[in-house]
Amino acid sequence: MKRNVILMIFVALILAGCTGSNKYEGDFSFEVEDFTFTNQDGEDFSKSDLDGKFWVANMIFTNCNTICPSMTANMARLQGLLEEENIDAELVSFSVDPTNDSPEILKQYIEDRGGTWDNWHALTGYTDEDISQFASNSFKAFIENPENEDQVVHTSQFYLVTPDGNAIKKYTGDQADNMQKIVEDIQSMN
């Protein structure tokens, strides 16, 4: 009798562990907070619009004079690779300078670097504090917009987010060879 009780407890613990596990494995698992921001067309865009899809997030701003141009060009490169491999994944660029990055400015910036809008969403329409908290809570990423400066300190990472809304991997966004790695990682989880 005692042996059966121990066996039932053991089986229950195994089953409990299985039901709570994430089916996508990565280097970490950060739940991305719900959001509704403004996209490049001036329309609301929410996290729920990404439900059920892999997506890759990054943080940029259009006045950046360091890594953002190469990161944006790499996101366009990633967009092309995803299309070549027929992978259904979305791209999301969050502006870290929402005061200056209007939807129209973001749209032109990304188009100038080869991006199209089939699966890419450029977001703004929040405060500096909002995006800083969102990035910290969702991606454990640091953003600082110093007063009286025109450059924003921010992460250069691209984040892979699963169809259930968890960021699980990051890649250095200004390194072109990482775009193929993102494609391979998505393929391995599909």
Side-chain angles (χ1 to χ4, degrees), residues 95-145:
S95 170
V96 296
D97 188 11
T99 303
N100 295 305
D101 286 345
S102 68
E104 300 80 16
I105 290 172
L106 280 168
K107 187 172 191 172
Q108 189 64 54
Y109 183 81
I110 290 172
E111 287 175 356
D112 288 348
R113 284 152 186 83
T116 63
W117 302 109
D118 297 332
N119 63 333
W120 195 339
H121 314 277
L123 303 182
T124 189
Y126 35 76
T127 66
D128 292 340
E129 184 178 316
D130 288 342
I131 190 59
S132 181
Q133 287 180 340
F134 174 78
S136 177
N137 293 342
S138 297
F139 301 105
K140 310 306 179 232
F142 177 77
I143 296 173
E144 183 182 359
N145 196 340

Side-chain angles (χ1 to χ4, degrees), residues 23-26 52-57 75 78-79 81-83 85-92 119 158-163 166 168-169 171 178-190:
K23 73 179 196 174
Y24 302 106
E25 292 188 28
K53 295 181 179 183
F54 280 101
W55 51 288
V56 178
M75 191 71 96
L78 174 60
Q79 186 177 43
L81 291 171
L82 292 168
E83 186 176 340
E85 295 294 330
N86 199 30
I87 296 172
D88 185 20
E90 303 290 308
L91 308 175
V92 182
N119 63 333
F158 284 18
Y159 297 88
L160 177 59
V161 182
T162 64
N166 291 314
I168 61 165
K169 288 182 173 278
Y171 312 81
N178 280 332
M179 301 311 103
Q180 184 61 43
K181 177 69 174 139
I182 294 171
V183 168
E184 292 166 4
D185 285 347
I186 294 172
Q187 287 174 321
S188 74
M189 290 183 240
N190 272 332

